Amino acid sequence: MTRSFKRLLIAGGAGFIGSHFVRYLRAARSDVEITVLDKLTYAGNLANLVDFEGQAGYRFVHGDICDAELVDSLAAQADAIVNFAAETHVDRSLMDPFAFIETDVRGTAVLCEAARKHDHQAFLLVSTDEVYGEVRQGRSEEDDVFRPRSPYSASKAAGEHIAHAYAASFGLPLLVTRGSNTYGPFQYPEKLIPVLITNAIDDLRLPLYNDGSAVRDYLFVDDHCRGIDQVLHEAPSGSVFNIGTGAETSGLQVAEAVLEIMAKPRSLIEFVADRPGHDYRYALDVARITALGWEPQVTFADGLQRTVRWYQDHPEWWRPLKSGEYWEYYRRNYRPLVS
Ligand code: NAD
Ligand code: DAU
């Protein structure tokens, strides 16, 4: 099946993955009119979208997905919504769960309601592999039950449940993607990879929780965006897709790879107190998205190299972010290892 859209509402488009998705659409589908709706939280950044300012077929609206009136008026001018907007950092969800419940649950419900009311062709919810919870063995399949363990993953799971309820009860034409840990340029320096890179640039310690053994499937952001685009345009309504590479990399391996690319000493690694409730492994079965014709194009070695270069070449993007509130968060989050 193929679907095409004239006007897309991209919620959370000023964040990391959302802004790459806008860039992807501008290049691959330049005829589509895009409205970005974003609250510009600490993680949202208009600098991510500066290339498109003033272009025909692109507009930015500053606002909250929980603002039902605003969302309704924007949905009236669109044929589909793609939702990236969320509070996204697990460690912050341990400090302030309610911000996550508000945006990731209630905000998702507001978007579902507007998409239903305006009879949209599709509502694509960008979800996460974290809804499955920790997977010590085997791989999560799309029909597996949710076992989220952090306020972040529980809020994403709850938002997804609301969306599935709208699909079952009201016929919302829902599509869901559950991507794995995504990295690349323009990622706010609180997630593992940009923390490691920006700290290494300044010869600061590279903090690894516990013993650095937790495993993730690191996915380059361009591959993630291409997967979302493919699901949006080609997948049957009502379907859910895992998006990941199938590879498994520990935090320690990531830190060592960053230091090797940057020719910095291994002694910069510092083991710190563990994240409470830390999920030690996620692993996705990606047979379904593979059958749709998607596969990752960027290896971890290549993607990491490109990401390191980008942060080295763009201090004007990330240096202003690492100030004030950032260091308050940092001091609160990272504690010495207690054994
Ligand atoms: P991000 O934190 O970089 O960006 C989130 C964006 O949402 C920001 O621009 C922020 O301003 C905006 N936002 C937050 N609350 C809002 C609200 N109430 N109204 C409007 N805008 C709001 O996040 P990201 O890493 O780009 O993640 C995007 C989406 O992808 C999220 O839904 C996340 O759960 C999902 N996801 C992320 C990853 C990952 O590894 N980064 C992997 C899988 C899925
Ligand atoms: O898997 C998808 C998820 O990936 C997304 O849904 C989330 O929005 C995104 O934040 C990400 O969550 P993670 O918890 O996997 O990402 P993070 O970069 O925070 O951590 C990756 C791993 O590295 C994890 O095992 C915790 C560890 N870690 C993280 C940080 C920030 C450290 O060891 N040290 C750190 O300083």
Side-chain angles (χ1 to χ4, degrees):
M1 89 160 287
T2 53
R3 227 179 256 112
S4 70
F5 305 95
K6 289 201 173 73
R7 303 165 306 168
L8 287 178
L9 177 57
I10 314 283
F16 164 51
I17 307 174
S19 62
H20 280 278
F21 188 69
V22 171
R23 191 166 296 107
Y24 180 90
L25 283 178
R26 294 304 286 168
R29 303 184 187 274
S30 53
D31 50 329
V32 180
E33 284 179 29
I34 295 171
T35 298
V36 170
L37 169 63
D38 199 292
K39 185 179 174 183
L40 297 178
T41 66
Y42 76 95
N45 192 340
L46 279 180
N48 301 356
L49 295 167
V50 77
D51 294 354
F52 317 112
E53 259 172 38
Q55 284 187 4
Y58 166 83
R59 74 170 162 156
F60 177 80
V61 177
H62 185 198
D64 191 331
I65 59 166
C66 298
D67 179 344
E69 210 175 304
L70 174 64
V71 167
D72 183 74
S73 72
L74 295 175
Q77 304 161 49
D79 351 290
I81 298 174
V82 182
N83 184 35
F84 293 90
E87 290 292 341
T88 61
H89 191 40
V90 174
D91 296 312
R92 287 190 192 253
S93 81
L94 299 167
M95 297 173 185
D96 182 10
F98 285 90
F100 288 69
I101 294 164
E102 179 67 5
T103 287
D104 303 11
V105 187
R106 208 172 85 78
T108 302
V110 169
L111 293 171
C112 288
E113 179 63 27
R116 163 176 95 107
K117 183 173 159 198
H118 295 287
D119 215 8
H120 277 189
Q121 284 183 53
F123 176 77
L124 190 147
L125 180 61
V126 179
S127 187
T128 169
D129 62 357
E130 298 207 6
V131 296
Y132 299 115
E134 181 179 68
V135 187
R136 289 276 176 164
Q137 283 181 335
R139 294 181 173 276
S140 304
E141 296 177 13
E142 286 85 349
D143 296 331
D144 286 356
V145 294
F146 290 180
R147 290 197 175 84
R149 289 162 18 101
S150 74
Y152 164 69
S153 53
S155 302
K156 290 294 290 186
E160 242 208 75
H161 279 309
I162 299 280
H164 288 297
Y166 264 76
S169 308
F170 307 124
L172 181 75
L174 177 66
L175 296 162
V176 175
T177 56
R178 297 188 190 134
S180 64
N181 188 307
T182 304
Y183 70 100
F186 297 103
Q187 187 170 30
Y188 187 85
E190 64 185 352
K191 309 284 162 67
L192 179 70
I193 289 182
V195 165
L196 297 181
I197 295 171
T198 58
N199 279 13
I201 289 174
D202 285 343
D203 293 315
L204 299 174
R205 296 299 186 88
L206 274 52
L208 290 179
Y209 297 144
N210 192 21
D211 57 359
S213 65
V215 162
R216 295 290 185 267
D217 173 350
Y218 289 96
L219 173 66
F220 193 64
V221 65
D222 292 356
D223 282 330
H224 193 165
C225 288
R226 197 166 34 77
I228 292 169
D229 181 76
Q230 201 157 343
V231 170
L232 179 64
H233 290 90
E234 296 172 25
S237 218
S239 50
V240 177
F241 288 84
N242 290 339
I243 305 181
T245 71
E248 298 186 28
T249 311
S250 73
L252 183 57
Q253 287 171 317
V254 176
E256 288 173 342
V258 166
L259 291 170
E260 194 178 321
I261 293 168
M262 297 176 69
K264 298 268 182 172
R266 203 179 175 284
S267 56
L268 282 179
I269 293 175
E270 178 177 35
F271 296 104
V272 298
D274 207 357
R275 167 185 285 174
H278 196 167
D279 287 341
Y280 268 76
R281 178 175 179 267
Y282 303 124
L284 291 175
D285 180 305
V286 291
R288 194 178 283 180
I289 186 102
T290 306
L292 198 66
W294 177 92
E295 58 178 28
Q297 291 176 349
V298 182
T299 62
F300 184 62
D302 182 27
L304 192 64
Q305 181 102 230
R306 283 159 66 174
T307 306
V308 168
R309 294 271 140 71
W310 187 86
Y311 282 90
Q312 286 173 325
D313 292 346
H314 295 85
E316 80 292 348
W317 185 86
W318 61 266
R319 279 206 184 281
L321 303 176
K322 292 185 91 167
S323 63
E325 191 275 338
Y326 178 86
W327 290 116
E328 271 171 45
Y329 154 78
Y330 199 91
R331 273 189 288 277
R332 207 171 147 199
N333 190 52
Y334 294 103
R335 289 159 292 120
L337 184 62
V338 185
S339 51

